[in-house]
Amino acid sequence: KELLHYDPSTGVFTRLAFGRGPKALIGKPAGNAHCRGYRELQVDGRAYLAHRLAWFYMTGLWPKEEIDHLNGSRSDNRWSNLREATKALNMQNRKGPDRDNKSGFLGVSKHGSGFRAQIAVDGKVYRLGTHRSPEAAHQAYLDAKRKLHDGNTL
């Protein structure tokens, strides 16, 4: 708190002391975009993810678990958008597919001439049927997600 100020309503950290580099000026936003969409800050030469630092700033404790962004936006570090969550709970709150997903929809994969919807709960995979379109398969996935994933914020 001597080096950084965190504004919980915006999720932005600002510098209270000079840092290294030309952009590390007092009163200026701290941190840079991380390669996976998160914000990253340097404190005393060590890198921290902004959402974990926000948790520490607000609670005085390092998170024991992961920090989940409720709205799915990894750069939105507003206090109201953060919660401590297990890895399983955090994964239940995913909003989009992996980059290598060819269907373009979370929970959907190409299967023969159709599209298979499936969801995992507590390590068990549930097949939700094969559908004619990826949109229909995705709707089946979303319906199941609302019922089975306590951690989702859809």
Side-chain angles (χ1 to χ4, degrees):
K1 290 187 176 183
E2 296 140 13
L3 302 173
L4 297 167
H5 169 73
Y6 170 69
D7 181 344
S9 66
T10 64
V12 174
F13 282 92
T14 52
R15 296 205 170 275
L16 298 176
F18 286 105
R20 292 189 290 207
K23 294 182 182 177
L25 301 173
I26 293 175
K28 295 292 181 184
N32 298 301
H34 187 271
C35 65
R36 292 185 10 216
Y38 296 106
R39 299 273 313 156
E40 183 178 75
L41 293 91
Q42 295 281 328
V43 178
D44 291 335
R46 184 169 175 202
Y48 295 93
L49 293 174
H51 56 283
R52 295 185 67 78
L53 204 55
W55 190 268
F56 177 69
Y57 192 97
M58 294 298 288
T59 67
L61 302 169
W62 285 109
K64 293 183 177 113
E65 303 282 350
E66 295 185 0
I67 299 299
D68 183 22
H69 293 83
L70 294 170
N71 67 5
S73 174
R74 295 175 172 178
S75 62
D76 183 353
N77 294 308
R78 291 174 296 128
W79 181 243
S80 61
N81 190 45
L82 303 177
R83 69 175 172 185
E84 191 169 20
T86 62
K87 182 170 184 64
L89 189 66
N90 197 356
M91 293 298 291
Q92 289 178 7
N93 197 28
R94 293 187 61 201
K95 305 287 191 240
D98 292 333
R99 280 185 233 146
D100 61 349
N101 180 313
K102 292 181 174 66
S103 77
F105 293 93
L106 181 62
V108 178
S109 59
K110 184 82 170 114
H111 184 71
S113 62
F115 296 88
R116 175 184 284 162
Q118 61 184 31
I119 193 167
V121 179
D122 296 328
K124 183 172 167 104
V125 176
Y126 295 88
R127 292 195 175 154
L128 306 170
T130 302
H131 304 266
R132 291 183 182 202
S133 72
E135 293 83 4
H138 185 60
Q139 188 58 56
Y141 170 81
L142 291 176
D143 293 344
K145 185 175 185 66
R146 287 185 184 99
K147 292 176 189 167
L148 300 172
H149 282 175
D150 295 333
N152 86 76
T153 57
L154 290 174

